[in-house]
Amino acid sequence: MINIKRDIIRILFCWILFVLLSLFSSEIHALNNTPASKIMLRADKCKELLLRSKKKRRYRHYWNRCISRYLLIRRYFPKSPEAPWALYKAARLQERLYRYSGLKKDLQKAIELYEGLVKAYPSHRLSDDALFNIGKIYYRRYRDIPKAYLYFSKISKRYPKGDMAPRARSMIRKLSPFIKKVRAEKARKIPPKRRVIFRDIRHWSTANYTRVVIDLSGSTYYEAHTLPEDPKRGLPKRVYVDIKGARLLKRFKGSIPIKGALLKRARVGQFTKDTVRVVLDINSIERYQVFHLNDPFRIVVDVQGRGVVRKEIKGKKLTLAQQLGLSVKKIVLDPGHGGRDPGCYINRYIKEKDITLRIAKILKRYLEERLNCKVLLTREDDRYLSLEQRTAFANMNKADLFISIHVNSYKKDRRVHGIETYFLNITTDERAMMVAARENAASEKNLSDLQKILNDMLLNTKINESSRLAREVQYHMIHALKGRYGWIRSLGVKQAPFYVLIGAQMPAILLEVGFITNPKEREYLQDDDYIALLSKGIVSGVDSYIRSIVFGG
Ligand SMILES: [Zn+2]
């Protein structure tokens, strides 16, 4: 009896072992057999043979062959676990090729590949390695210390707990003295005659948001920093901006006290002979960003205060979406231009500013009726508002969505017509750049400067949500109009650096609802039936976007 029992146990044990082993081996089997992993193996082999052979290393096409094998994975299996590794290995190889070729274009290519990795897989553990390698390239190969410093800082900002953070911080410490010197030299280079004049300071502030705009007479160099809280002197944490090569006029001497809810006080003073310092005393800083806009030159400081705890509405049970703050309760519509800024126009009677206001008013009614949400307009009548003021309005009102409405223009060819929707991003599209330059009332040259600083700023904006909102609205506008106005045309969803969208803390889009220069479209844009249908389309787009966030569709 005992023997039989023992045998059964033994058989059972063997069987379990067998099942476990076969499970395990099939796991390994599956891992090695995905198409991506197969290509990876081949690419690794290619690299190994290349690096081992002295002869092969001398020919560019051998390098390119291995690199392109890695890139196949990124291209065809971007979601596979191998993809980020493949990009990283391709970049490493490209960087190594430089040692043989000595060509700067190889370094540039390597940087692009590393950048691609960071952009596509920002949370992958190789991303900080990629940033570090870029920093190293700028430091060692280009001797471009400010650039290198920028990349090392990115690591300590974005991946403070990553494995590269300590090395990045030690590089930052090493480069800091140089950076200070470079900055000091830059500031010194501005001759006193060319010093810009501090014109004015404007601000919008609520309990947990403030936007301060510093107006200057021309472009100049500036730096923003924070000062820690100073309990001894009773000072809160402060943000200050040093404007180099600038001077204060007599009437501003001393300080300008301004007050807001989050912003306790702002002080302006001539800090040194050619530096004007603006200090913002702020109640509680969560994060802040500083950027400039051109034509005229102005520095914008956006400060986000510590979040206010969401209060539960008494006696009402909130749905999960509401608890997560996913529902859309408030929409800000921004009728483009107004007052002394007519936007594009045909004659005294047909101006963009009037068309956009009319559309916004009709759209507001439809949105409120169908989506049961609150809709605010940045302007209700014909008045001038600066672009930064419009975004500030949406932020201050804690809007869930921001929609700016505009009319397109193309004088070179009056046949051009169509509807397009934009969200904020850098662009390489010439047409999109032209539209942004016109709407920003800025030159295209100044816009390309802006693109460089935009990269970092975009970290805190809702690009994905905005592009989704743009897609939904664009699709539904066209869908709604196509039935009765078969002639209308979709120019698609595009991206460009629009000032009015910068700093918006909610998904934000800009509509170009048609061309004022096209006679037929111009007629449509002044027809209430057409506008009603267009508005219904926008409402459907917003509705469909809301459903997609609430139901995760
Ligand atoms: Zn416009």
Side-chain angles (χ1 to χ4, degrees):
M1 203 52 198
I2 292 170
N3 270 345
I4 294 174
K5 234 185 188 172
R6 200 179 287 156
D7 278 352
I8 290 175
I9 288 172
R10 197 177 292 155
I11 290 167
L12 212 67
F13 178 75
C14 285
W15 186 77
I16 288 170
L17 199 71
F18 171 76
V19 168
L20 275 177
L21 267 176
S22 61
L23 264 179
F24 190 59
S25 68
S26 74
E27 187 87 273
I28 292 172
H29 200 65
L31 265 180
N32 282 337
N33 248 335
T34 62
S37 64
K38 274 186 189 160
I39 303 173
M40 188 69 140
L41 274 178
R42 256 179 271 151
D44 283 343
K45 189 84 198 157
C46 178
K47 181 181 84 177
E48 207 185 302
L49 291 174
L50 165 73
L51 295 180
R52 223 192 281 155
S53 155
K54 233 181 184 174
K55 190 185 138 230
K56 277 188 175 173
R57 283 198 308 250
R58 295 213 312 263
Y59 295 100
R60 174 172 286 276
H61 68 270
Y62 285 114
W63 291 86
N64 285 343
R65 186 186 292 167
C66 301
I67 291 167
S68 58
R69 284 218 173 135
Y70 283 122
L71 294 183
L72 278 180
I73 300 171
R74 158 78 179 119
R75 177 139 181 229
Y76 293 106
F77 307 100
K79 290 202 175 126
S80 67
E82 285 86 0
W85 283 97
L87 254 180
Y88 186 75
K89 287 180 176 180
R92 289 283 291 183
L93 212 52
Q94 188 76 47
E95 197 184 337
R96 216 160 160 172
L97 169 57
Y98 167 77
R99 281 194 236 157
Y100 294 90
S101 73
L103 294 175
K104 283 278 153 69
K105 70 169 186 186
D106 287 324
L107 278 184
Q108 211 44 51
K109 190 82 202 298
I111 291 175
E112 276 164 29
L113 289 171
Y114 284 130
E115 290 268 22
L117 168 63
V118 178
K119 202 164 174 210
Y121 310 97
S123 51
H124 194 272
R125 67 189 174 95
L126 282 174
S127 282
D128 55 343
D129 296 68
L131 286 175
F132 192 81
N133 289 351
I134 298 175
K136 249 176 28 195
I137 292 175
Y138 278 118
Y139 177 55
R140 292 226 182 109
R141 308 284 182 203
Y142 286 103
R143 301 306 283 169
D144 185 343
I145 289 172
K147 264 274 174 62
Y149 186 85
L150 179 76
Y151 279 93
F152 295 131
S153 314
K154 273 185 188 176
I155 297 171
S156 76
K157 250 189 221 158
R158 288 190 212 168
Y159 310 99
K161 288 184 183 131
D163 58 334
M164 298 312 277
R167 288 175 69 185
R169 278 194 287 270
S170 101
M171 283 308 288
I172 289 171
R173 273 195 300 278
K174 191 171 160 187
L175 300 184
S176 282
F178 296 99
I179 289 295
K180 279 190 186 136
K181 230 170 89 188
V182 170
R183 282 184 182 157
E185 268 164 24
K186 241 189 190 168
R188 220 173 292 138
K189 268 182 198 155
I190 301 164
K193 257 192 185 168
R194 264 202 56 237
R195 281 196 297 180
V196 299
I197 295 163
F198 174 94
R199 282 254 165 87
D200 200 3
I201 186 163
R202 295 173 284 144
H203 76 289
W204 299 270
S205 190
T206 62
N208 69 343
Y209 167 77
T210 194
R211 169 170 273 191
V212 175
V213 178
I214 303 160
D215 292 310
L216 298 165
S217 66
S219 67
T220 189
Y221 179 72
Y222 62 92
E223 271 174 22
H225 300 280
T226 52
L227 288 168
E229 194 183 339
D230 186 351
K232 268 188 202 153
R233 290 167 59 205
L235 291 171
K237 193 173 172 183
R238 286 145 291 159
V239 175
Y240 69 88
V241 183
D242 275 350
I243 306 156
K244 309 285 179 182
R247 67 190 170 91
L248 270 182
L249 292 181
K250 262 207 182 109
R251 64 190 165 101
F252 289 124
K253 286 260 161 75
S255 76
I256 304 170
I258 54 172
K259 256 184 177 305
L262 177 66
L263 181 70
K264 279 172 89 175
R265 192 168 46 152
R267 289 168 285 143
V268 185
Q270 189 81 46
F271 186 61
T272 65
K273 223 174 99 196
D274 62 354
T275 301
V276 169
R277 176 171 283 190
V278 178
V279 186
L280 308 178
D281 294 341
I282 287 163
N283 271 325
S284 66
I285 302 174
E286 173 84 34
R287 59 167 187 269
Y288 74 101
Q289 59 181 14
V290 182
F291 55 94
H292 65 267
L293 303 176
N294 286 299
D295 306 318
F297 189 85
R298 56 231 197 249
I299 300 167
V300 183
V301 187
D302 269 347
V303 183
Q304 181 68 53
R306 299 246 160 76
V308 183
V309 181
R310 216 168 259 279
K311 272 188 195 151
E312 207 165 318
I313 304 160
K314 263 191 188 163
K316 259 192 184 174
K317 262 209 159 175
L318 298 179
T319 65
L320 183 65
Q322 282 168 330
Q323 283 172 28
L324 295 172
L326 289 176
S327 60
V328 171
K329 288 182 224 85
K330 202 185 278 173
I331 299 174
V332 165
L333 297 180
D334 172 43
H337 313 277
R340 61 181 152 92
D341 168 21
C344 50
Y345 58 93
I346 290 296
N347 53 36
R348 259 194 313 150
Y349 308 104
I350 306 173
K351 296 173 187 159
E352 178 181 0
K353 65 172 182 177
D354 300 323
I355 298 175
T356 57
L357 183 60
R358 189 145 149 211
I359 294 176
K361 282 184 172 165
I362 294 174
L363 176 57
K364 173 186 158 90
R365 217 178 58 225
Y366 281 109
L367 279 169
E368 282 177 338
E369 270 171 24
R370 241 186 81 188
L371 300 182
N372 192 26
C373 57
K374 197 169 165 56
V375 178
L376 300 174
L377 266 55
T378 51
R379 64 179 178 98
E380 304 264 355
D381 49 24
D382 184 19
R383 73 175 66 198
Y384 176 80
L385 292 176
S386 66
L387 295 170
E388 57 270 28
Q389 196 172 352
R390 296 166 191 262
T391 331
F393 178 85
N395 287 345
M396 283 173 64
N397 282 293
K398 296 202 186 77
D400 300 301
L401 299 177
F402 179 67
I403 302 175
S404 190
I405 302 163
H406 288 261
V407 177
N408 231 326
S409 155
Y410 194 62
K411 285 184 189 141
K412 279 186 198 151
D413 187 348
R414 291 177 191 277
R415 287 169 304 177
V416 172
H417 70 98
I419 299 172
E420 55 195 14
T421 304
Y422 284 89
F423 62 96
L424 177 70
N425 206 344
I426 46 182
T427 186
T428 49
D429 182 333
E430 262 176 55
R431 265 281 308 153
M433 198 68 161
M434 246 171 61
V435 174
R438 186 169 49 72
E439 298 295 9
N440 291 342
S443 65
E444 283 182 47
K445 154 88 183 60
N446 278 337
L447 266 199
S448 54
D449 287 348
L450 174 71
Q451 298 232 82
K452 284 176 208 145
I453 58 165
L454 207 54
N455 236 334
D456 252 22
M457 273 161 37
L458 288 173
L459 276 176
N460 287 326
T461 58
K462 314 210 158 183
I463 291 193
N464 290 336
E465 285 93 333
S466 298
S467 80
R468 193 138 63 126
L469 175 64
R471 278 202 307 275
E472 294 292 350
V473 169
Q474 175 71 12
Y475 171 81
H476 285 277
M477 275 193 292
I478 301 298
H479 188 76
L481 290 168
K482 258 296 190 229
R484 201 175 335 152
Y485 304 88
W487 171 81
I488 63 116
R489 210 175 128 202
S490 171
L491 298 177
V493 171
K494 295 176 179 172
Q495 51 190 59
F498 286 98
Y499 286 179
V500 73
L501 301 181
I502 296 178
Q505 293 173 343
M506 66 293 301
I509 56 174
L510 185 143
L511 312 180
E512 291 284 354
V513 293
F515 283 76
I516 203 169
T517 39
N518 180 279
K520 197 164 168 181
E521 205 153 53
R522 178 164 70 234
E523 203 123 295
Y524 283 164
L525 289 172
Q526 296 173 86
D527 172 29
D528 278 353
D529 287 343
Y530 181 85
I531 295 176
L533 218 48
L534 176 80
S535 300
K536 281 181 188 166
I538 298 171
V539 174
S540 302
V542 171
D543 187 30
S544 161
Y545 167 79
I546 296 171
R547 280 168 204 279
S548 78
I549 45 172
V550 175
F551 301 111

